[in-house]
Amino acid sequence: MIPAGIPEPVGRRAGFDHMVRLGRLRSPQSIEVRLGTSRAGAVDVRLYTTASVDAVIPAHPEADWE
């Protein structure tokens, strides 16, 4: 449940980040993305599959998903 006063997309992102921190959601792959033309601007972006995200809910019925 997203607390009152928090915009829904922000709440969903915070929930997603929390699942990653808990280790309930893992990124099977990451890619390097360059920002600008130098490698100094490169960052790793983690990729998630929809199947791994969908599997979190039945795997953790103790959580309040509403």
Side-chain angles (χ1 to χ4, degrees):
M1 177 178 229
I2 298 170
I6 296 178
E8 191 172 335
V10 173
R12 279 185 274 163
R13 176 57 197 244
F16 184 87
D17 290 344
H18 190 62
M19 298 314 268
V20 171
R21 276 192 303 277
L22 289 173
R24 293 181 177 173
L25 192 57
R26 299 207 168 123
S27 170
Q29 178 183 357
S30 66
I31 60 171
E32 185 179 87
V33 177
R34 293 182 189 190
L35 306 173
T37 58
S38 89
R39 286 206 28 93
V43 295
D44 285 331
V45 176
R46 291 179 279 178
L47 304 176
Y48 297 88
T49 62
T50 54
S52 64
V53 173
D54 290 343
V56 171
I57 294 174
H60 298 282
E62 72 280 5
D64 179 12
W65 299 107
E66 296 297 319

